[in-house]
Amino acid sequence: MSERKGEANVEAGMRRLLREVFAYLKKQANSKMKDEDLLKLTKKVIARMETGVGPATWEGAAPVRIHALRRPTSLWRPFRIVGHITELRDPELVLVPDGNGKFSQDVATCLKIVGPDGDSIHSVDVVGAEVETIHAAREAGGMVEFLVTPIALPIRLDRKRPDQSIGGERQSFFVHIVDVRQSNSMLDLLGATATERSDVQSLLLSLHARGIVPTDYLFDFVVKELRIVSLDELPRLRDALRFAVLQALSCGQVDHAPGRLHGMIVGPPGHGKKLIGLAARALNPVAVELSPSKASPAGLVGASSRREGTWFSQPGALIHSDHGVAVLQDAHGWQGAELRKLAPILQEVTEDGRVRDTVAGGRTRSTNVAMLLDLNRTAQVTTASIIGAPEAAILRVRPVLSRFDLLLEIPEDIDRIWNAAARLYESIQGGAADLDRRPGVREARLLVALLRDRNPDVDLDPVRDLMKAVHRNLHSTNAALFEDLPEASDVPTRLAISFARYVSAAARGRDADVAAPSDVDTATRFLNHKLSFLRMHGSSYPGAVNGQASAEDRDAWFKQYAGQEVRTQDVVNDFKAKTGEDMSERTGRRNLLRLGAKRTGKGRYLLPPGEPPRSGGQ
């Protein structure tokens, strides 16, 4: 009985494939051939097909990238591919053979699929009930997973010569679409082979056996692969790199908001911002970099159009980096009317994970993307510091700042950068392979994908009370900030969302689906970076009174770094830049020690997180 059922499935699958092939040939011939001639042509095409084509199933199909489907060895085998639907014809009625030498009408369409690496492939006509499934997937947006069988039709019909003969050397590659579903697996998105899946599982087991936390392994990999030096002197760069690891591990949802982490790095040229973007590219399954010249609503989101009954789509950088990271470079270049169009898009992504096409009537697109912005201050990109020059416009858009999970500034220190550059000679080399071609990068991405697939949701219940206590602590420590910045009233809510995102990513980085107190400690470190940035760039600051800063002013200045590891020289430089008053490194060190800071290295101190939460939760 099961054999007869299997034969029936094969027969049904072949019948559907032949109907699609016939519908494709009918369309290509532009209805200039008689049905009888088309039937003969179809039989000639079928005669060139290999035998043994069976029905494809999700379980028996290997995930691959689109370019692999064009290999002759891939023909007639079931595969899974991930991509966007970028062209889709309106459904239309076509004549298809019913197997008894007669013809009947059915609904058909065809589409173009573009993968995350830019490769594309067309389908032969999709016939029947699957047309509705295709349209539903297109409306849902985001990455879509297709179960397909690659075929090569040994013909390319010319509309002016529909009787053109078949030529094997003129094969056109297409896919026969069996099923469609939304994509959730990161390993599938990478097209991981069975061997790669087994190897990365073994790697994870080995890390557990050796007591190595996967997050630490990934951080060490980034430092080694990118040949980053002098991190002992660059604590904020080190934290930014650790953020890049957590950002790659972020996924899922936090209540109604997406669970992806978003970061903004501010700093002078040559101080390591590009390294953070490279780390993000190395770790994420998908990564897109966007320069200021390409940063427009269409460049970020994309646009749609309709021509000759076909829906065309040009996805932007945020859509192409779905499930990955979009690195938006030199955001200080966004000004005026341009920024007024870009800022709402950034807010939509961080809050809803959805964006809308720029054209009138454009559709809404889903994008599960993390964003990483880097920028310089105005005075750092001019030929000379201009007193009173307007700051980078993006830093004045409070709704964007409040929604980003990390706000971190790398201070300018020429002597430190000279020392770091000198150490580059220990590891610098020529002829290095492109980042995407390095075997270690592929392994790191597979590990990130495995951790995200294994732990899509993290249980926060065990640390919920601890998170509340830390939140109250942050409130009491930063009460002056919210008094000075009434327009920042949305920060507490955004902070709670960021907290959950960080804790979830940190747990996922331990290969755990239950949060622990160590995850809260990790999250608190990055939340303090954000609050410190807002304190330093609010409407008022601790500053000089009649040209002299009081002891209370100095204490308030140092308290803004609560919970962070800092270099004394960085804090002193920041103080001078804001107040115009000199402070010696010795005085700065004395202030740090008075506040209970602990020495962690040469010139480096870790400040306590601040006052304990008030009793009764007040």
Side-chain angles (χ1 to χ4, degrees):
M1 179 69 179
S2 60
E3 289 185 3
R4 286 199 299 270
K5 183 177 181 181
E7 291 173 358
N9 286 339
V10 172
E11 183 180 354
M14 282 299 298
R15 186 181 299 115
R16 178 181 166 200
L17 172 57
L18 297 182
R19 291 169 65 188
E20 292 189 17
V21 171
F22 185 86
Y24 168 78
L25 295 174
K26 175 77 172 178
K27 178 172 63 98
Q28 289 294 95
N30 201 23
S31 302
K32 292 182 179 179
M33 295 181 71
K34 297 179 180 179
D35 291 338
E36 293 78 6
D37 294 334
L38 272 173
L39 187 56
K40 292 179 182 178
L41 182 58
T42 304
K43 289 179 178 179
K44 292 176 70 176
V45 171
I46 294 169
R48 297 181 63 89
M49 293 182 178
E50 296 183 8
T51 58
V53 180
T57 62
W58 287 108
E59 293 72 22
V64 297
R65 292 296 184 98
I66 287 177
H67 65 79
L69 303 181
R70 298 192 180 91
R71 299 170 184 163
T73 55
S74 298
L75 297 179
W76 315 111
R77 303 169 186 268
F79 291 101
R80 286 180 286 164
I81 59 174
V82 175
H84 298 279
I85 302 173
T86 59
E87 292 181 21
L88 182 63
R89 289 192 65 85
D90 287 343
E92 57 184 283
L93 291 176
V94 296
L95 288 175
V96 294
D98 60 7
N100 298 315
K102 297 182 180 179
F103 298 89
S104 61
Q105 283 189 334
D106 210 335
V107 179
T109 188
C110 61
L111 63 149
K112 180 182 180 182
I113 306 167
V114 176
D117 49 7
D119 286 329
S120 64
I121 196 167
H122 283 84
S123 75
V124 294
D125 279 22
V126 180
V127 181
E130 287 71 23
V131 171
E132 185 175 345
T133 305
I134 292 289
H135 277 269
R138 194 270 295 182
E139 287 298 325
M143 285 287 185
V144 181
E145 192 172 12
F146 301 86
L147 176 62
V148 303
T149 301
I151 64 174
L153 297 181
I155 185 170
R156 185 172 298 168
L157 292 175
D158 186 333
R159 293 188 177 186
K160 296 181 179 180
R161 297 181 56 193
D163 57 343
Q164 183 176 328
S165 62
I166 297 175
E169 72 284 355
R170 305 178 59 173
Q171 290 183 338
S172 296
F173 287 81
F174 300 88
V175 289
H176 161 59
I177 297 177
V178 180
D179 200 2
V180 180
R181 66 185 184 188
Q182 297 301 120
S183 174
N184 295 311
S185 169
M186 296 302 98
L187 287 172
D188 285 353
L189 177 60
L190 282 170
T193 64
T195 301
E196 287 178 324
R197 290 168 191 255
S198 176
D199 289 346
V200 74
Q201 287 275 6
S202 298
L203 171 62
L204 185 58
L205 291 174
S206 173
L207 294 178
H208 287 320
R210 290 181 287 162
I212 300 175
V213 179
T215 306
D216 294 337
Y217 174 85
L218 291 167
F219 174 80
D220 292 341
F221 159 77
V222 166
V223 173
K224 181 180 179 181
E225 188 70 25
L226 300 180
R227 299 188 293 279
I228 301 174
V229 298
S230 300
L231 284 183
D232 54 334
E233 300 179 12
L234 304 166
R236 294 194 200 177
L237 178 59
R238 184 174 65 246
D239 282 351
L241 290 170
R242 287 199 174 276
F243 170 80
V245 176
L246 291 176
Q247 185 182 56
L249 292 165
S250 64
C251 64
Q253 290 283 125
V254 173
D255 284 339
H256 301 294
R260 303 307 311 276
L261 287 165
H262 307 280
M264 182 184 296
I265 312 296
V266 183
H271 280 58
K273 298 191 303 300
K274 184 175 180 62
L275 292 174
I276 303 164
L278 287 173
R281 279 184 50 202
L283 295 171
N284 278 270
V286 183
V288 175
E289 288 186 343
L290 197 69
S291 63
S293 61
K294 300 292 180 65
S296 64
L300 289 178
V301 180
S304 306
S305 62
R306 290 183 58 79
R307 303 191 297 272
E308 300 178 355
T310 302
W311 176 85
F312 293 90
S313 170
Q314 293 179 330
L318 297 179
I319 312 304
H320 273 305
S321 49
D322 191 24
H323 294 297
V325 64
V327 181
L328 310 178
Q329 301 172 330
D330 298 329
H332 55 266
W334 303 347
Q335 298 293 338
E338 181 183 47
L339 180 61
R340 285 194 290 273
K341 295 177 181 178
L342 297 179
I345 295 174
L346 304 183
Q347 294 169 214
E348 280 185 300
V349 173
T350 57
E351 192 160 349
D352 304 322
R354 301 184 70 84
V355 287
R356 182 171 292 279
D357 269 352
T358 56
V359 296
R363 69 183 187 85
T364 300
R365 301 173 186 263
S366 171
T367 177
N368 187 9
V369 62
M371 294 184 294
L372 183 64
L373 272 68
D374 70 61
L375 65 146
N376 307 121
R377 294 199 166 276
T378 301
Q380 295 166 346
V381 291
T382 57
T383 54
S385 296
I386 302 175
I387 298 176
E391 189 49 275
I394 188 71
L395 295 179
R396 301 196 299 271
V397 184
R398 185 68 60 180
V400 171
L401 297 183
S402 67
R403 285 170 170 82
F404 269 66
D405 305 286
L406 177 71
L407 301 173
L408 185 145
E409 180 156 6
I410 300 174
E412 187 168 15
D413 190 328
I414 300 300
D415 291 338
R416 181 177 57 189
I417 295 304
W418 270 103
N419 292 335
R423 291 184 60 182
L424 277 176
Y425 291 98
E426 301 169 9
S427 59
I428 197 168
Q429 60 182 348
D434 179 72
L435 190 66
D436 293 328
R437 298 178 183 273
R438 300 180 191 177
V441 169
R442 176 71 175 176
E443 182 182 77
R445 289 172 178 169
L446 289 168
L447 180 57
V448 169
L450 178 62
L451 292 170
R452 286 171 63 174
D453 283 355
R454 282 168 59 92
N455 309 285
D457 301 305
V458 173
D459 183 6
L460 301 179
D461 282 343
V463 297
R464 201 174 297 277
D465 290 340
L466 179 59
M467 292 174 68
K468 289 180 182 178
V470 171
H471 190 89
R472 289 194 296 267
N473 184 15
L474 293 173
H475 177 206
S476 62
T477 306
N478 295 275
L481 167 66
F482 300 108
E483 292 177 2
D484 291 341
L485 298 176
E487 71 274 17
S489 58
D490 64 337
V491 170
T493 301
R494 311 296 177 199
L495 205 67
I497 295 173
S498 293
F499 208 166
R501 287 171 173 167
Y502 276 120
V503 172
S504 298
R508 200 170 290 117
R510 295 185 295 107
D511 189 27
D513 59 3
V514 178
S518 61
D519 305 320
V520 177
D521 293 340
T522 298
T524 304
R525 183 185 188 94
F526 290 102
L527 295 179
N528 275 312
H529 274 304
K530 177 174 180 175
L531 290 170
S532 174
F533 186 95
L534 293 175
R535 278 193 297 267
M536 292 174 64
H537 306 286
S539 57
S540 66
Y541 307 80
V545 179
N546 296 325
Q548 294 294 323
S550 66
E552 291 78 10
D553 288 334
R554 290 196 183 95
D555 283 347
W557 183 265
F558 282 90
K559 283 180 180 179
Q560 69 184 329
Y561 298 98
Q564 297 182 45
E565 183 183 24
V566 298
R567 288 178 75 249
T568 310
Q569 190 61 53
D570 292 341
V571 179
V572 169
N573 290 345
D574 289 343
F575 182 81
K576 181 179 180 180
K578 176 55 190 171
T579 66
E581 182 178 349
D582 288 325
M583 179 192 297
S584 69
E585 189 169 349
R586 181 178 179 181
T587 300
R589 182 167 59 252
R590 187 167 57 245
N591 278 271
L592 290 170
L593 293 172
R594 187 168 64 247
L595 294 175
K598 294 182 179 179
R599 190 173 185 271
T600 58
K602 184 178 179 181
R604 300 201 309 273
Y605 293 85
L606 176 64
L607 282 87
E611 299 297 326
R614 301 175 186 175
S615 60
Q618 300 298 319

